[in-house]
Amino acid sequence: MNNITDSPIKSFIDDELIYLARLNSGLIGRLPLFGLIDAFSGAGGMTLGFSNHFKHSFQPVWANDFNRESVETYNANFGNHCLQGDINDILGNRKNHIPNADVVIGGPPCQGFSLLNKKRENDPRKQLWRPFLSLVSRSQATVFVMENVPQLINSDEQAQIIDEATNLGFKTASAILCAADYGVPQVRWRAFIIGCKHEHPSCVFPPKKTHYLPDGMKVRRMFSDNGVGYINQKMPWKTVADAIGNLPAPHGCSIRKEPPPFNLHFGRTPTEISMKRYRAIPEEGMNRFDLQRCAPEITPECWIKKKSGGTDLFGRLWWNRPAYTIRTEFFKPEKGRYLHPEQHRPITHREAARLQTFTDSFVFTGSKIEIAKQIGNAVPPCLAARVADSVTALLIRKAIKHG
């Protein structure tokens, strides 16, 4: 049970709603625990955002993911109720009990929509929203949150999702949100569809922004602003320095048997040519084009032939800006802008986790590769927490109506 006045939601919900919640005899300054199901949960980034760590009143009761290591990580943090396996097989077996819940959240695998997937037109993963909505129906949830890549919005699949949700009795609202607008030190764009049976979710979604792009910070917005306003005490975007500036240089190249944050703060064993390339682009913001200009003799031939695109490849982060999207291979500089702002190395697992806003106390299980996938695939918990504010507002409205 959380106190409304202590919760972040008071900055996101209309003053009238808070006033009504306080007046209601069943909600005087208190929130009940709301049952939460997380489908396609991964390591549990969304669940963490809906958790008590972010002063929310959601109780995880069931979860599912296909990946064994992700399931083990989820269970290590939230309780032993995450099932491993194909969601279609799980839902198809009536012996598997699906508990009732107030909310179902989840991100059906997004590779079917990703611009990185050249075969996305006929990718069956674009249809995994169907078992997600089946789970919503089986659990009798009155609110759902579906997360995906921005390309979902205005797609044929979005129209199908909304049609099916409407048939199930849900009103829906959709938006593309920038994680940096909500306190994540990362310019990461994600699409959300929220469905609600008792209220139109557009009354509280998208949530008000908590952070703003400061004047003079040279960051291009990939998508148009959704028009939502800011909270009263908005803050500037968080930066790489805010997230990882207090970490010392990493040690070793394996998961360390030390308390966090140092357990995941390890490096790699770069080749001599890699070190030469790192040293050739020592300044913040440099990338593969600077490498070609400064040291063409050690620039890969494929980069020299590729005259356009990929400006973030082999790029250094800036201390005073957010990171760009942290993907699953953040430890490979050739995959993106993953070089430390000043040290000659890619970012560590701990640094990537912090840029995703995972708490240092969050337990990751599995190999280095599997943990990197869990980090890169996750919804940033701090972004999920702001979406949870909207969901909380909807559930408070329901409690008021039926109180």
Side-chain angles (χ1 to χ4, degrees), residues 187 218-220 222 281 285-290 303 306 308-318 321-327 330 332-339:
V187 183
K218 297 180 180 180
V219 177
R220 180 174 63 91
M222 292 180 60
I281 51 169
M286 283 184 150
N287 58 27
R288 70 178 181 92
F289 293 110
D290 296 296
W303 289 356
K306 186 177 176 60
S308 61
T311 58
D312 286 333
L313 299 182
F314 216 74
R316 280 195 185 273
L317 295 164
W318 290 268
R321 301 186 195 180
Y324 287 89
T325 301
I326 301 299
R327 297 191 176 92
F330 54 79
K332 296 181 179 180
E334 66 272 18
K335 297 289 187 177
R337 189 173 291 279
Y338 300 136
L339 286 174

Side-chain angles (χ1 to χ4, degrees), residues 277-286 294 316 340-344:
R277 289 169 179 162
Y278 300 161
R279 293 190 182 102
I281 51 169
E283 298 177 16
E284 297 176 49
M286 283 184 150
C294 298
R316 280 195 185 273
H340 190 275
E342 59 186 40
Q343 298 174 26
H344 300 312

Side-chain angles (χ1 to χ4, degrees), residues 269-306:
T269 53
T271 62
E272 183 179 347
I273 188 67
S274 292
M275 287 302 299
K276 287 182 179 179
R277 289 169 179 162
Y278 300 161
R279 293 190 182 102
I281 51 169
E283 298 177 16
E284 297 176 49
M286 283 184 150
N287 58 27
R288 70 178 181 92
F289 293 110
D290 296 296
L291 177 63
Q292 182 177 341
R293 175 176 53 83
C294 298
E297 71 280 2
I298 56 173
T299 302
E301 186 67 23
C302 60
W303 289 356
I304 294 175
K305 291 180 179 179
K306 186 177 176 60

